[in-house]
Amino acid sequence: MKKIIVVGAGVAGLSAAVRLQKLGYQVELFEKDSQPGGKMNQIKKDGFTFDVGPTIVMMPDIYQEVFTFAGVNPDDYIPMEKVEPMLKLYFSQEEPLTLSNDLVELTKTLESISEEDAQGYFAFLADIYKRYIIAKDAFINKSFRSVWDFYNPKSLWSGLKLRTFNDAYSSISKFVKDERLRKSLAFQTLYIGVSPYQGPSLYTIIPMIELFYGVYFIKGGMFTLATSLAKLLTELGGTIHYNTPIEEIVIEDKKTTGVKVNGEKISADAVVCGADFPYAMEKLIPDEKKRGKYTDKKIQQMEYSCSCFLLYLGLDKEYAGKNLHSIYFADDFKQNVDDLFELGHLPEDPSFYLYRPSKMDKSLAPENQEGLYVLVPVPELSKYDDWSDEAVAKYRDKVIAKIKNKTDFTDIDQHIISESYYTPDDFKENFNAYNGATFGLKPTLKQSNYYRPHNKFAYAENLYFCGSSTHPGAGVPIVMQSAKLAVEELLKDEE
Ligand SMILES: Cc1cc2nc3c(=O)[nH]c(=O)nc-3n(C[C@H](O)[C@H](O)[C@H](O)COP(=O)(O)OP(=O)(O)OC[C@H]3O[C@@H](n4cnc5c(N)ncnc54)[C@H](O)[C@@H]3O)c2cc1C
């Protein structure tokens, strides 16, 4: 039986490991942390349970498919419930918008703005759906190993039809006039760490995906996906070594022959790496000559997505309201986005996202109390890097003051009984995220599709990559897809 080593128990590494074990390989997975999940980690403190990173479940069929592939019922591992309304958006001056994926409710919301904008909104959805179908077949479900996989008439024609060169905000503005609607369709590019004023317009598929395929909640939170994949892997016969960082991916004569752990080589027939690609290049393949175009200089020069500052607050009271996901836009959203991507400032007036998991699952907070997850997009470390204790304390106070002023948590400062935080430094330190960029390499046109690191490594045999910085990109379902593509590449090499 062939042995495969998987690096990292993030959702990408875990998904690849499950698939490979099911296919009959002997899988050994090595994770530097003490638990699975990577950015999909969990904090348990003072009776409160928080997901560290991802919270919004989109494209549930992709989550379920890996369990079905392994021959088990996904509902036994990741029971899901639809979230309705999906999202509430708050603006500085105007009325909030509640976004429902019930067509009747959505139509009411849109018509309350104007019939013209309702028409524009639906026209936008039709347009982006068409482009999504093209992208799904031509790019998301397809991996690239040779230049001809990309530069062939079919791919080029598909690329043209995607009309992806505009930025998200301008492309949406052609369809709707209301500023809130424009923002509501554009801001989601931040979910993958790219500016709505710069990123390829194709990423406006995200709000369409939320509306058409729903937003879900997994019982216990996102971390349930990580623990369930880890459980499934061991049930299938695979092995996971926690607290065991891989030190090197061993390449000899352009062939990957294993990894180094604690100074010793462990041999394998192939290696699938789910650790962040740019980090893996620099640290796990230290000899530049073995990694082709991915020199240290190139790695440094590539563009990275933004990062996040997070507060996980345990509150000794349960506040009114029932929305699971809420977004509060900065008064000047464009300035906020420029701070992140252009200027490298910690936003003075940040937009922020609130997540209230105990509204869906009471077991996540003590009775009559509630846990509040606060996410503030911030620049990645090459643009801004002062996360000293003093800087964190100052920014934390600013964020709490914003929450007091802008939300119904008006007396939150008097009810915080437990508190933890994550900064870009923590994402770098804990999970080896290059530059602390929470969504990996930025999906610019120059770093997408054929131009994003491939799932099959071009410079050594028997080495495959998955995860946010590889094709097709970031976000839980998309990195699960990257794992599937990496496994398919490995199978192709076996033919
Ligand atoms: C704050 C935040 C919010 C997010 N919100 C959402 C959301 O709502 N919905 C969504 O779909 N996506 C969201 N995302 C994105 C999503 O979480 C990521 O795209 C996804 O979890 C990345 O998974 P991964 O497996 O590629 O990487 P990682 O989770 O980073 O996994 C890499 C793993 O490799 C391990 N590792 C690294 N180096 C080594 C080594 N040398 N040896 C052994 N192990 C090693 C790391 O410890 C880690 O466990 C969010 C991300 C963040 C940070």
Side-chain angles (χ1 to χ4, degrees):
M1 189 189 285
K2 284 195 171 172
K3 178 169 156 184
I4 299 191
I5 287 179
V6 176
V7 186
V11 66
L14 284 166
S15 304
V18 164
R19 286 178 184 278
L20 290 164
Q21 186 69 35
K22 177 67 186 176
L23 287 164
Y25 295 96
Q26 182 56 50
V27 175
E28 280 201 44
L29 190 156
F30 291 82
E31 166 57 50
K32 75 186 270 290
D33 198 36
S34 57
Q35 50 184 19
K39 296 177 194 108
M40 185 188 282
N41 223 273
Q42 187 184 63
I43 295 174
K44 261 186 182 297
K45 193 174 162 192
D46 305 323
F48 297 92
T49 304
F50 294 99
D51 280 310
V52 166
T55 56
I56 304 178
V57 178
M58 282 184 252
M59 307 172 114
D61 51 326
I62 296 187
Y63 285 61
Q64 289 162 339
E65 197 250 345
V66 62
F67 292 91
T68 314
F69 179 85
V72 299
N73 181 352
D75 296 339
D76 295 338
Y77 288 77
I78 47 164
M80 288 191 195
E81 206 180 318
K82 193 155 175 260
V83 177
E84 179 55 35
M86 298 187 309
L87 194 58
K88 190 149 182 179
L89 306 176
Y90 294 85
F91 305 88
S92 52
Q93 309 293 338
E94 308 104 315
E95 284 298 299
L97 280 184
T98 303
L99 288 184
S100 167
N101 51 28
D102 175 312
L103 192 53
V104 176
E105 290 304 318
L106 178 68
T107 307
K108 264 190 223 162
T109 303
L110 297 174
E111 287 184 343
S112 75
I113 294 168
S114 76
E115 285 178 344
E116 193 192 349
D117 266 351
Q119 272 183 51
Y121 197 94
F122 290 126
F124 164 76
L125 290 178
D127 179 70
I128 196 73
Y129 178 72
K130 212 188 290 169
R131 291 160 69 193
Y132 167 64
I133 297 298
I134 297 168
K136 191 160 67 90
D137 295 341
F139 303 108
I140 302 173
N141 290 343
K142 182 171 186 288
S143 58
F144 303 98
R145 56 165 74 181
S146 109
V147 70
W148 304 116
D149 292 334
F150 188 67
Y151 287 104
N152 60 55
K154 189 166 175 255
S155 283
L156 289 173
W157 180 236
S158 302
L160 273 178
K161 282 200 288 191
L162 287 180
R163 290 179 279 113
T164 198
F165 299 100
N166 273 346
D167 64 85
Y169 185 85
S170 334
S171 99
I172 286 157
S173 299
K174 290 186 191 129
F175 290 92
V176 288
K177 287 205 177 102
D178 183 80
E179 191 52 34
R180 288 171 302 167
L181 286 182
R182 287 178 174 178
K183 283 185 188 143
S184 80
L185 291 168
F187 84 92
Q188 275 109 331
T189 62
L190 290 174
Y191 287 1
I192 47 169
V194 57
S195 162
Y197 299 102
Q198 279 177 350
S201 64
L202 181 63
Y203 296 113
T204 50
I205 58 174
I206 301 172
M208 180 282 291
I209 284 170
E210 285 181 330
L211 282 165
F212 286 13
Y213 303 101
V215 166
Y216 287 78
F217 177 82
I218 302 177
K219 195 168 166 27
M222 270 285 191
F223 188 60
T224 304
L225 174 63
T227 51
S228 295
L229 285 169
K231 178 169 164 265
L232 180 56
L233 176 60
T234 45
E235 283 167 358
L236 293 170
T239 314
I240 308 182
H241 306 273
Y242 291 109
N243 299 309
T244 316
I246 299 253
E247 289 150 359
E248 189 178 332
I249 295 172
V250 181
I251 299 173
E252 295 164 311
D253 294 332
K254 298 199 170 180
K255 283 200 175 69
T256 310
T257 56
V259 296
K260 253 193 213 154
V261 176
N262 292 324
E264 291 200 2
K265 182 176 169 191
I266 303 177
S267 297
D269 295 293
V271 172
V272 176
C273 180
D276 197 25
F277 181 86
Y279 150 82
M281 286 297 110
E282 259 194 4
K283 304 289 185 217
L284 300 185
I285 310 181
D287 182 352
E288 272 189 321
K289 292 194 286 297
K290 293 184 175 172
R291 47 180 148 100
K293 68 175 177 183
Y294 292 110
T295 58
D296 289 350
K297 191 168 165 214
K298 159 102 177 157
I299 296 288
Q300 278 159 25
Q301 285 175 344
M302 288 197 289
E303 287 190 68
Y304 292 86
S305 65
C306 68
S307 189
C308 300
F309 172 65
L310 293 118
L311 293 171
Y312 311 94
L313 306 173
L315 309 176
D316 67 2
K317 103 178 210 198
E318 214 182 341
Y319 284 80
K322 58 180 173 42
N323 290 304
L324 183 66
H325 306 292
S326 314
I327 306 268
Y328 293 81
F329 283 93
D331 294 351
D332 185 344
F333 183 56
K334 172 78 169 64
Q335 175 65 50
N336 177 198
V337 170
D338 285 349
D339 285 340
L340 302 177
F341 297 99
E342 302 292 316
L343 306 169
H345 293 163
L346 264 192
E348 275 299 309
D349 177 23
S351 300
F352 57 90
Y353 158 72
L354 298 186
Y355 173 57
R356 303 173 71 184
S358 44
K359 291 284 160 195
M360 292 294 283
D361 184 342
K362 290 279 170 216
S363 73
L364 300 176
E367 213 179 332
N368 301 322
Q369 303 192 344
E370 114 162 70
L372 183 68
Y373 161 124
V374 185
L375 182 157
V376 184
V378 296
E380 46 90 358
L381 290 168
S382 79
K383 292 203 157 62
Y384 176 88
D385 67 357
D386 180 7
W387 292 103
S388 60
D389 291 349
E390 206 187 352
V392 169
K394 216 167 128 196
Y395 205 57
R396 175 259 183 220
D397 289 349
K398 191 185 289 287
V399 173
I400 298 287
K402 289 279 167 207
I403 296 174
K404 274 182 68 146
N405 289 339
K406 291 195 164 189
T407 77
D408 292 338
F409 293 82
T410 49
D411 58 356
I412 189 170
D413 49 340
Q414 291 156 43
H415 292 281
I416 300 171
I417 53 167
S418 173
E419 185 165 347
S420 319
Y421 64 82
Y422 249 74
T423 70
D425 272 346
D426 296 313
F427 284 106
K428 181 175 177 195
E429 203 47 42
N430 296 351
F431 311 122
N432 288 334
Y434 195 89
N435 283 346
T438 35
F439 309 96
L441 278 176
K442 204 199 248 185
T444 57
L445 283 180
K446 276 197 206 142
Q447 297 184 164
S448 295
N449 299 320
Y450 177 73
Y451 301 105
R452 203 165 180 84
H454 297 184
N455 305 111
K456 175 184 164 60
F457 195 52
Y459 307 103
E461 282 176 39
N462 309 328
L463 181 55
Y464 306 86
F465 284 91
C466 52
S468 349
S469 290
T470 67
H471 176 70
V476 175
I478 305 301
V479 306
M480 291 178 90
Q481 184 62 19
S482 80
K484 187 177 177 194
L485 294 176
V487 170
E488 284 171 4
E489 286 295 321
L490 185 145
L491 292 178
K492 259 189 232 166
D493 287 339
E494 294 275 83
E495 280 166 8

